[in-house]
Amino acid sequence: MIEKYDPSLIESKWYQHWEQQGYFKANQQGTGSYCIMIPPPNVTGTLHMGHAFQDTIMDTLIRYHRMQGKNTLWQPGTDHAGIATQMVVERQLNAQGTSRVELGREAFVDKVWEWKEQSGNTITQQLRRMGASPDWSRQRFTMDDGLSAAVLKVFVDLYEEGLIYRGQRLVNWDPTLNTALSDLEVESIEENGSMWHFKYPVADAQGQATNEHLIIATTRPETLLGDTAVAVNPADERFQHLIGQQVLLPLCDRLIPIVGDEHADPEKGTGCVKITPAHDFNDYEVGQRHDLPMINVMNFDATINHNAPEPFWDMPRYEARQAVVKAMEDLGLLDEIKPHVLMVPRGDRSGDVIEPMLTNQWYVDAKTLAGPAIKAVDNGDIKFVPDNWKNTYYAWMNDIQDWCISRQLWWGHRIPAWYDEQDNYYVGLSEADVRHKHGLDETVKLRQDNDVLDTWFSSALWPFATLDWPENTQELQTYYPTNVLVTGFDIIFFWVARMIMMGLKFMGDVPFKEVFITGLVRDSHGQKMSKSKGNVLDPIDLIDGITLEDLLAKRTQGLMQDHTKKVDHIIQLTKEDYPDGIKAYGCDAMRFTFASLASTGRDINFDMGRVEGYRNFCNKIFNASRFVFMNTEDHPAQAWTMDQASTVEQWIVSRLQHTIVEYRKHMDRYRLDLASQTIYDFFWNEYCDWFLELSKPLLKTAMKAQVQGTLLYVLDQALRLLHPIMPYVTEEIWQAVKPRLNLSAESIMISEFPTADEALRNPSAEAAIEWIKGFTLGVRQIRGEMNIPPAKALPVVVSQVNQQDQDMLAAHGELIQNMARLEAVTVLSAGAEEPAAATALLGEMKILIPLAGLIDVNEETQRIEKQMGKIEQEIKRAQGKLNNDKFVSKAPPHLVDAERDKLQTNQQALSELQEQLEKLQSL
């Protein structure tokens, strides 16, 4: 074992060893299977903190169950990420002075594959750096041959059952990318805009404009050109007499009906709503209810098409907006313009404003597939952790809409539909399959659909397609359904639900038994991490460290790639939070931090102070182990027994059993935060702080060999408990434990996970050591308060002693003297006068340390008073800042909170010093 803890010296060594030995591979052996499917990250880029958080949870669970002898599979893979990947390659081509259109489809797709091969290893290398142990031999990609074949079969089967169809409906349309988007790919952003109020003349029986007008309000004047009705609420007495009549649509010379519909809210706006079914999702529903025509007035690039009046042809939408407003003003039909704050839908990749667009797309009948998926959660076949997330699932599933699965891209699974020259379409696994099924010979010219499938369509098949479905493989039989899906709440609708629907449809069983919903990783101030905010952390930077200069360069580059120009605040934020860059903490410290924050379903604030603390924990584990090894060099290589164990050993072994039970209970309930706290408390507070100290005098007795064995045994068991979360440091240390205990496993990761033995629980030993700890802490408290050196041997007098206290003093007097550094312990008889002394209580027993000759009361009083004066100045300064309204209102919230924390800490310290002073003055 290396002499000083240095994660950089052990991480690459052990990971390479594990992988070479094949420890990560699913081996089809073991008692029962345990399988997790990795949510496939997009192949486009790098893993972020959310990935690192979830991957730590998954790897911890996999290692935990692997050590229990389960036949484990953690299935790795990546997603082709249609839009994101195509955009990356298109930008590269643009920088080279060309475009995908110039290259043509086939050549462009070849370019994307080239890029994927070059950059695709980035994510897998990051996962390795984070200690992830998936079965790399089974790595999959959503567009590899096997998954592509599964996608084709599912599409064809659903089409032939009538569950996939082609239809014309409204979709989210990105005018920059020229494709439909899912709701997940659209971000609604609050922006300042305007509300235009227009007058629509009511028409008479002959269709001529009257002097009566309906006033409508809109934030999108250009869509006026596609209006096909005006809606009023049927209960609105102001307009009831007009329902069934018509208005003359300005600029278009078209008569459109006035319809009664509850979509019009009498309490909002003017009470009259223009209805544009081809350009608004709510209007589309109104149009369906009233059988209104749908007039699309926009081209795919968001210019006005020739369905609109000629003066507006080919105008970009915002130019057309100005032209419409000007034309309405010229006609005297512009009533007013009001400032208005609205939610603007923007494509998350392009940043362009999304247009609801009437297009022909392919759809899945999601309502039919949703029924069994709802039932699976209802009857408990799938459980959400925490349970409340099933309500989110139900809310969407019970109101599910048909799923638009086509995208106007070139990168992705091309839709397996072929069209003849009359635009009749045929669906099949291939063109040859289509010709065979439909009797089409070579004289019939066919062209394949240009669109590709939504990325979520292939991702929905992930749990079974990665196990080589539709072949009934041994892996499919062994690992499906999988045990748990670890994912974020934000994709319950878009991925979790669709996997459930597809799994039930094609496998006849749920894809996973539990869904563990994690929270969002936020920065230390509770802000969502994003490039534009400049608070993104790269998990690898936490492992390796990074200078401030390199951190600034990385963030600025990431921001510029995100098409934003706000760099100054990134520099300020980075310098403020990381003035010295980020230290190299190592993988184990980062993983333990994530585990400690992994409470079910809650967002987590990632605080670098925690990582620092757990880096110290790694160091503590290492140094404690070195102490054990230095004191067990002459221990014979043999298994540990409890044959002649002392009370101290019985206590630590008993506490170990309690720790094992609690740790396993928390892990089985996905409470990694509580599991990590349990083992942290045991190792640091009980094993290191107490057992190692209690063992030192015993190592000098005839019990040495026995105590050595216990030191090694408990260390071995603690390392095994720690290993799923902290794989590297535990392996490094365990390899040195192994020969001393004659252990047979080749690696800690394939050793047996600890199981509690109730026969080793010893309440009386626990009670005895708790008494010894209480006595020792009482003495230490007095030493600290009175500034008595730790090494100085003290006389102690005890009074009000009961029978238990007498028994403990008789049985463990020597141990107490060693632990508390005492000269002697004198027991006062009942009624005897107590000496002037500093006092601590243990139950009803008083622990008295006579201070005469130990300290100079006057000198100690002056020291405390001087310390109190400094703290009083700090309190006064903090109160002054916090009483300053300008500071509280204008300073960053985390600085204000920090000042409040300082004030509270100093006030507590002042109170404690005051108590010490009062004790001194009473002597």
Side-chain angles (χ1 to χ4, degrees), residues 555-586:
R555 289 189 168 180
T556 302
Q557 182 182 16
L559 193 69
M560 299 309 288
Q561 288 174 349
D562 206 33
H563 300 296
T564 318
K565 303 267 183 178
K566 300 175 183 175
V567 176
D568 290 344
H569 78 286
I570 293 240
I571 294 172
Q572 181 181 354
L573 183 62
T574 304
K575 287 180 177 178
E576 178 183 295
D577 284 355
Y578 312 108
D580 301 315
I582 296 174
K583 281 201 246 177
Y585 294 110

mmCIF file of all heavy atoms in Angstrom, residues 555-586:
data_model
loop_
_atom_site.group_PDB
_atom_site.id
_atom_site.type_symbol
_atom_site.label_atom_id
_atom_site.label_comp_id
_atom_site.label_asym_id
_atom_site.label_seq_id
_atom_site.Cartn_x
_atom_site.Cartn_y
_atom_site.Cartn_z
ATOM 1 N N ARG A 555 -15.308 27.529 -19.124
ATOM 2 C CA ARG A 555 -16.676 28.056 -19.005
ATOM 3 C C ARG A 555 -16.987 29.050 -20.119
ATOM 4 O O ARG A 555 -18.084 29.063 -20.665
ATOM 5 C CB ARG A 555 -16.867 28.712 -17.639
ATOM 6 C CG ARG A 555 -16.903 27.695 -16.522
ATOM 7 C CD ARG A 555 -17.312 28.309 -15.206
ATOM 8 N NE ARG A 555 -17.604 27.261 -14.247
ATOM 9 C CZ ARG A 555 -17.982 27.495 -13.003
ATOM 10 N NH1 ARG A 555 -18.116 28.731 -12.583
ATOM 11 N NH2 ARG A 555 -18.247 26.508 -12.173
ATOM 12 N N THR A 556 -16.026 29.874 -20.455
ATOM 13 C CA THR A 556 -16.249 30.841 -21.525
ATOM 14 C C THR A 556 -16.469 30.127 -22.846
ATOM 15 O O THR A 556 -17.371 30.475 -23.610
ATOM 16 C CB THR A 556 -15.041 31.796 -21.637
ATOM 17 O OG1 THR A 556 -14.850 32.443 -20.377
ATOM 18 C CG2 THR A 556 -15.277 32.840 -22.702
ATOM 19 N N GLN A 557 -15.673 29.102 -23.102
ATOM 20 C CA GLN A 557 -15.827 28.343 -24.343
ATOM 21 C C GLN A 557 -17.194 27.676 -24.392
ATOM 22 O O GLN A 557 -17.881 27.697 -25.412
ATOM 23 C CB GLN A 557 -14.728 27.287 -24.436
ATOM 24 C CG GLN A 557 -14.785 26.472 -25.728
ATOM 25 C CD GLN A 557 -13.710 25.392 -25.760
ATOM 26 O OE1 GLN A 557 -13.122 25.055 -24.744
ATOM 27 N NE2 GLN A 557 -13.462 24.842 -26.928
ATOM 28 N N GLY A 558 -17.605 27.072 -23.275
ATOM 29 C CA GLY A 558 -18.912 26.425 -23.229
ATOM 30 C C GLY A 558 -20.037 27.404 -23.456
ATOM 31 O O GLY A 558 -21.024 27.106 -24.127
ATOM 32 N N LEU A 559 -19.887 28.611 -22.902
ATOM 33 C CA LEU A 559 -20.913 29.636 -23.068
ATOM 34 C C LEU A 559 -21.008 30.087 -24.516
ATOM 35 O O LEU A 559 -22.096 30.241 -25.064
ATOM 36 C CB LEU A 559 -20.596 30.821 -22.164
ATOM 37 C CG LEU A 559 -21.725 31.828 -21.986
ATOM 38 C CD1 LEU A 559 -22.850 31.208 -21.193
ATOM 39 C CD2 LEU A 559 -21.231 33.067 -21.280
ATOM 40 N N MET A 560 -19.869 30.283 -25.167
ATOM 41 C CA MET A 560 -19.874 30.739 -26.550
ATOM 42 C C MET A 560 -20.482 29.669 -27.461
ATOM 43 O O MET A 560 -21.183 29.962 -28.422
ATOM 44 C CB MET A 560 -18.449 31.071 -27.012
ATOM 45 C CG MET A 560 -17.790 32.184 -26.188
ATOM 46 S SD MET A 560 -18.799 33.686 -26.023
ATOM 47 C CE MET A 560 -18.694 34.345 -27.688
ATOM 48 N N GLN A 561 -20.229 28.399 -27.134
ATOM 49 C CA GLN A 561 -20.842 27.321 -27.906
ATOM 50 C C GLN A 561 -22.350 27.327 -27.727
ATOM 51 O O GLN A 561 -23.095 26.842 -28.578
ATOM 52 C CB GLN A 561 -20.280 25.967 -27.463
ATOM 53 C CG GLN A 561 -18.839 25.746 -27.904
ATOM 54 C CD GLN A 561 -18.261 24.472 -27.321
ATOM 55 O OE1 GLN A 561 -18.849 23.849 -26.438
ATOM 56 N NE2 GLN A 561 -17.094 24.082 -27.801
ATOM 57 N N ASP A 562 -22.790 27.876 -26.602
ATOM 58 C CA ASP A 562 -24.218 27.941 -26.308
ATOM 59 C C ASP A 562 -24.862 29.191 -26.920
ATOM 60 O O ASP A 562 -25.994 29.527 -26.615
ATOM 61 C CB ASP A 562 -24.418 27.955 -24.779
ATOM 62 C CG ASP A 562 -25.758 27.398 -24.365
ATOM 63 O OD1 ASP A 562 -26.245 26.496 -25.047
ATOM 64 O OD2 ASP A 562 -26.302 27.875 -23.362
ATOM 65 N N HIS A 563 -24.109 29.900 -27.780
ATOM 66 C CA HIS A 563 -24.598 31.079 -28.494
ATOM 67 C C HIS A 563 -25.025 32.195 -27.563
ATOM 68 O O HIS A 563 -26.044 32.834 -27.731
ATOM 69 C CB HIS A 563 -25.766 30.700 -29.414
ATOM 70 C CG HIS A 563 -25.396 29.691 -30.441
ATOM 71 N ND1 HIS A 563 -24.485 29.929 -31.428
ATOM 72 C CD2 HIS A 563 -25.790 28.414 -30.619
ATOM 73 C CE1 HIS A 563 -24.341 28.848 -32.180
ATOM 74 N NE2 HIS A 563 -25.114 27.916 -31.701
ATOM 75 N N THR A 564 -24.249 32.393 -26.507
ATOM 76 C CA THR A 564 -24.510 33.491 -25.585
ATOM 77 C C THR A 564 -23.254 34.339 -25.479
ATOM 78 O O THR A 564 -22.160 33.853 -25.638
ATOM 79 C CB THR A 564 -24.869 32.938 -24.191
ATOM 80 O OG1 THR A 564 -25.735 31.823 -24.361
ATOM 81 C CG2 THR A 564 -25.580 33.959 -23.372
ATOM 82 N N LYS A 565 -23.443 35.617 -25.181
ATOM 83 C CA LYS A 565 -22.285 36.513 -25.142
ATOM 84 C C LYS A 565 -21.976 37.002 -23.724
ATOM 85 O O LYS A 565 -21.131 37.842 -23.541
ATOM 86 C CB LYS A 565 -22.554 37.732 -26.040
ATOM 87 C CG LYS A 565 -22.878 37.342 -27.476
ATOM 88 C CD LYS A 565 -21.663 37.318 -28.346
ATOM 89 C CE LYS A 565 -22.074 37.005 -29.769
ATOM 90 N NZ LYS A 565 -21.005 37.007 -30.712
ATOM 91 N N LYS A 566 -22.692 36.478 -22.725
ATOM 92 C CA LYS A 566 -22.495 36.965 -21.360
ATOM 93 C C LYS A 566 -21.295 36.264 -20.737
ATOM 94 O O LYS A 566 -21.419 35.195 -20.186
ATOM 95 C CB LYS A 566 -23.757 36.706 -20.531
ATOM 96 C CG LYS A 566 -24.995 37.390 -21.071
ATOM 97 C CD LYS A 566 -26.211 36.978 -20.266
ATOM 98 C CE LYS A 566 -27.472 37.588 -20.842
ATOM 99 N NZ LYS A 566 -28.673 37.104 -20.152
ATOM 100 N N VAL A 567 -20.153 36.883 -20.823
ATOM 101 C CA VAL A 567 -18.925 36.291 -20.310
ATOM 102 C C VAL A 567 -18.488 36.951 -19.005
ATOM 103 O O VAL A 567 -17.950 36.304 -18.118
ATOM 104 C CB VAL A 567 -17.799 36.370 -21.354
ATOM 105 C CG1 VAL A 567 -16.510 35.832 -20.783
ATOM 106 C CG2 VAL A 567 -18.188 35.587 -22.610
ATOM 107 N N ASP A 568 -18.737 38.253 -18.851
ATOM 108 C CA ASP A 568 -18.264 38.988 -17.675
ATOM 109 C C ASP A 568 -18.765 38.372 -16.371
ATOM 110 O O ASP A 568 -18.006 38.219 -15.412
ATOM 111 C CB ASP A 568 -18.704 40.457 -17.748
ATOM 112 C CG ASP A 568 -17.964 41.207 -18.844
ATOM 113 O OD1 ASP A 568 -16.940 40.675 -19.311
ATOM 114 O OD2 ASP A 568 -18.418 42.298 -19.239
ATOM 115 N N HIS A 569 -20.069 38.002 -16.335
ATOM 116 C CA HIS A 569 -20.597 37.480 -15.083
ATOM 117 C C HIS A 569 -20.042 36.088 -14.796
ATOM 118 O O HIS A 569 -19.945 35.668 -13.653
ATOM 119 C CB HIS A 569 -22.130 37.450 -15.113
ATOM 120 C CG HIS A 569 -22.723 36.321 -15.882
ATOM 121 N ND1 HIS A 569 -22.713 36.272 -17.242
ATOM 122 C CD2 HIS A 569 -23.331 35.181 -15.463
ATOM 123 C CE1 HIS A 569 -23.307 35.166 -17.641
ATOM 124 N NE2 HIS A 569 -23.685 34.474 -16.583
ATOM 125 N N ILE A 570 -19.635 35.361 -15.842
ATOM 126 C CA ILE A 570 -19.003 34.047 -15.639
ATOM 127 C C ILE A 570 -17.669 34.229 -14.945
ATOM 128 O O ILE A 570 -17.320 33.516 -14.010
ATOM 129 C CB ILE A 570 -18.784 33.369 -17.003
ATOM 130 C CG1 ILE A 570 -20.119 33.037 -17.619
ATOM 131 C CG2 ILE A 570 -17.893 32.157 -16.870
ATOM 132 C CD1 ILE A 570 -20.377 31.614 -17.891
ATOM 133 N N ILE A 571 -16.885 35.209 -15.420
ATOM 134 C CA ILE A 571 -15.582 35.488 -14.823
ATOM 135 C C ILE A 571 -15.750 35.885 -13.362
ATOM 136 O O ILE A 571 -15.063 35.390 -12.477
ATOM 137 C CB ILE A 571 -14.859 36.590 -15.624
ATOM 138 C CG1 ILE A 571 -14.515 36.079 -17.031
ATOM 139 C CG2 ILE A 571 -13.609 37.051 -14.891
ATOM 140 C CD1 ILE A 571 -13.976 37.140 -17.959
ATOM 141 N N GLN A 572 -16.723 36.768 -13.102
ATOM 142 C CA GLN A 572 -16.958 37.233 -11.739
ATOM 143 C C GLN A 572 -17.387 36.085 -10.839
ATOM 144 O O GLN A 572 -16.872 35.923 -9.727
ATOM 145 C CB GLN A 572 -18.035 38.326 -11.749
ATOM 146 C CG GLN A 572 -18.324 38.895 -10.364
ATOM 147 C CD GLN A 572 -19.411 39.962 -10.411
ATOM 148 O OE1 GLN A 572 -19.854 40.350 -11.476
ATOM 149 N NE2 GLN A 572 -19.825 40.420 -9.257
ATOM 150 N N LEU A 573 -18.323 35.264 -11.327
ATOM 151 C CA LEU A 573 -18.839 34.157 -10.525
ATOM 152 C C LEU A 573 -17.745 33.137 -10.237
ATOM 153 O O LEU A 573 -17.606 32.650 -9.117
ATOM 154 C CB LEU A 573 -20.007 33.485 -11.259
ATOM 155 C CG LEU A 573 -20.712 32.341 -10.537
ATOM 156 C CD1 LEU A 573 -21.342 32.832 -9.252
ATOM 157 C CD2 LEU A 573 -21.778 31.722 -11.434
ATOM 158 N N THR A 574 -16.950 32.835 -11.243
ATOM 159 C CA THR A 574 -15.899 31.839 -11.061
ATOM 160 C C THR A 574 -14.843 32.325 -10.071
ATOM 161 O O THR A 574 -14.401 31.585 -9.193
ATOM 162 C CB THR A 574 -15.258 31.498 -12.416
ATOM 163 O OG1 THR A 574 -16.281 31.066 -13.324
ATOM 164 C CG2 THR A 574 -14.241 30.390 -12.269
ATOM 165 N N LYS A 575 -14.450 33.583 -10.208
ATOM 166 C CA LYS A 575 -13.443 34.125 -9.290
ATOM 167 C C LYS A 575 -13.981 34.212 -7.868
ATOM 168 O O LYS A 575 -13.245 34.047 -6.895
ATOM 169 C CB LYS A 575 -12.991 35.505 -9.774
ATOM 170 C CG LYS A 575 -12.098 35.455 -11.011
ATOM 171 C CD LYS A 575 -11.676 36.849 -11.435
ATOM 172 C CE LYS A 575 -10.720 36.793 -12.620
ATOM 173 N NZ LYS A 575 -10.336 38.147 -13.092
ATOM 174 N N GLU A 576 -15.260 34.466 -7.752
ATOM 175 C CA GLU A 576 -15.869 34.606 -6.425
ATOM 176 C C GLU A 576 -15.962 33.256 -5.719
ATOM 177 O O GLU A 576 -15.632 33.131 -4.545
ATOM 178 C CB GLU A 576 -17.270 35.204 -6.586
ATOM 179 C CG GLU A 576 -18.029 35.366 -5.297
ATOM 180 C CD GLU A 576 -19.436 35.901 -5.546
ATOM 181 O OE1 GLU A 576 -19.574 37.049 -6.014
ATOM 182 O OE2 GLU A 576 -20.380 35.146 -5.302
ATOM 183 N N ASP A 577 -16.404 32.228 -6.462
ATOM 184 C CA ASP A 577 -16.617 30.916 -5.851
ATOM 185 C C ASP A 577 -15.359 30.059 -5.809
ATOM 186 O O ASP A 577 -15.182 29.242 -4.903
ATOM 187 C CB ASP A 577 -17.714 30.163 -6.604
ATOM 188 C CG ASP A 577 -19.097 30.687 -6.263
ATOM 189 O OD1 ASP A 577 -19.176 31.556 -5.381
ATOM 190 O OD2 ASP A 577 -20.083 30.241 -6.872
ATOM 191 N N TYR A 578 -14.474 30.222 -6.808
ATOM 192 C CA TYR A 578 -13.279 29.381 -6.893
ATOM 193 C C TYR A 578 -12.040 30.238 -7.148
ATOM 194 O O TYR A 578 -11.418 30.155 -8.202
ATOM 195 C CB TYR A 578 -13.433 28.345 -8.019
ATOM 196 C CG TYR A 578 -14.746 27.613 -7.974
ATOM 197 C CD1 TYR A 578 -15.746 27.874 -8.917
ATOM 198 C CD2 TYR A 578 -15.015 26.677 -6.973
ATOM 199 C CE1 TYR A 578 -16.963 27.217 -8.867
ATOM 200 C CE2 TYR A 578 -16.224 26.018 -6.921
ATOM 201 C CZ TYR A 578 -17.199 26.294 -7.866
ATOM 202 O OH TYR A 578 -18.396 25.642 -7.812
ATOM 203 N N PRO A 579 -11.666 31.088 -6.193
ATOM 204 C CA PRO A 579 -10.542 32.010 -6.427
ATOM 205 C C PRO A 579 -9.229 31.287 -6.710
ATOM 206 O O PRO A 579 -8.357 31.823 -7.381
ATOM 207 C CB PRO A 579 -10.468 32.814 -5.123
ATOM 208 C CG PRO A 579 -11.174 31.982 -4.116
ATOM 209 C CD PRO A 579 -12.240 31.259 -4.851
ATOM 210 N N ASP A 580 -9.100 30.060 -6.209
ATOM 211 C CA ASP A 580 -7.878 29.289 -6.438
ATOM 212 C C ASP A 580 -8.118 28.113 -7.363
ATOM 213 O O ASP A 580 -7.344 27.147 -7.373
ATOM 214 C CB ASP A 580 -7.329 28.786 -5.100
ATOM 215 C CG ASP A 580 -7.024 29.931 -4.145
ATOM 216 O OD1 ASP A 580 -6.429 30.919 -4.601
ATOM 217 O OD2 ASP A 580 -7.405 29.834 -2.968
ATOM 218 N N GLY A 581 -9.200 28.182 -8.147
ATOM 219 C CA GLY A 581 -9.547 27.028 -8.970
ATOM 220 C C GLY A 581 -10.221 25.967 -8.119
ATOM 221 O O GLY A 581 -10.781 26.255 -7.050
ATOM 222 N N ILE A 582 -10.145 24.726 -8.567
ATOM 223 C CA ILE A 582 -10.743 23.607 -7.839
ATOM 224 C C ILE A 582 -9.645 22.606 -7.514
ATOM 225 O O ILE A 582 -8.866 22.223 -8.378
ATOM 226 C CB ILE A 582 -11.855 22.936 -8.668
ATOM 227 C CG1 ILE A 582 -13.008 23.929 -8.906
ATOM 228 C CG2 ILE A 582 -12.389 21.692 -7.963
ATOM 229 C CD1 ILE A 582 -14.079 23.410 -9.843
ATOM 230 N N LYS A 583 -9.577 22.194 -6.254
ATOM 231 C CA LYS A 583 -8.561 21.224 -5.837
ATOM 232 C C LYS A 583 -8.855 19.852 -6.427
ATOM 233 O O LYS A 583 -9.996 19.545 -6.784
ATOM 234 C CB LYS A 583 -8.568 21.107 -4.310
ATOM 235 C CG LYS A 583 -7.861 22.229 -3.602
ATOM 236 C CD LYS A 583 -7.482 21.767 -2.211
ATOM 237 C CE LYS A 583 -8.227 22.527 -1.168
ATOM 238 N NZ LYS A 583 -7.935 22.053 0.177
ATOM 239 N N ALA A 584 -7.834 19.019 -6.494
ATOM 240 C CA ALA A 584 -8.023 17.621 -6.904
ATOM 241 C C ALA A 584 -8.509 16.836 -5.685
ATOM 242 O O ALA A 584 -7.767 16.628 -4.731
ATOM 243 C CB ALA A 584 -6.716 17.056 -7.428
ATOM 244 N N TYR A 585 -9.774 16.431 -5.722
ATOM 245 C CA TYR A 585 -10.351 15.724 -4.576
ATOM 246 C C TYR A 585 -10.336 14.210 -4.748
ATOM 247 O O TYR A 585 -10.466 13.481 -3.768
ATOM 248 C CB TYR A 585 -11.790 16.190 -4.335
ATOM 249 C CG TYR A 585 -11.889 17.627 -3.909
ATOM 250 C CD1 TYR A 585 -12.413 18.596 -4.753
ATOM 251 C CD2 TYR A 585 -11.443 18.030 -2.655
ATOM 252 C CE1 TYR A 585 -12.504 19.927 -4.369
ATOM 253 C CE2 TYR A 585 -11.525 19.353 -2.246
ATOM 254 C CZ TYR A 585 -12.065 20.298 -3.110
ATOM 255 O OH TYR A 585 -12.139 21.604 -2.719
ATOM 256 N N GLY A 586 -10.214 13.747 -5.985
ATOM 257 C CA GLY A 586 -10.259 12.314 -6.220
ATOM 258 C C GLY A 586 -11.683 11.827 -6.387
ATOM 259 O O GLY A 586 -12.656 12.466 -5.981
#
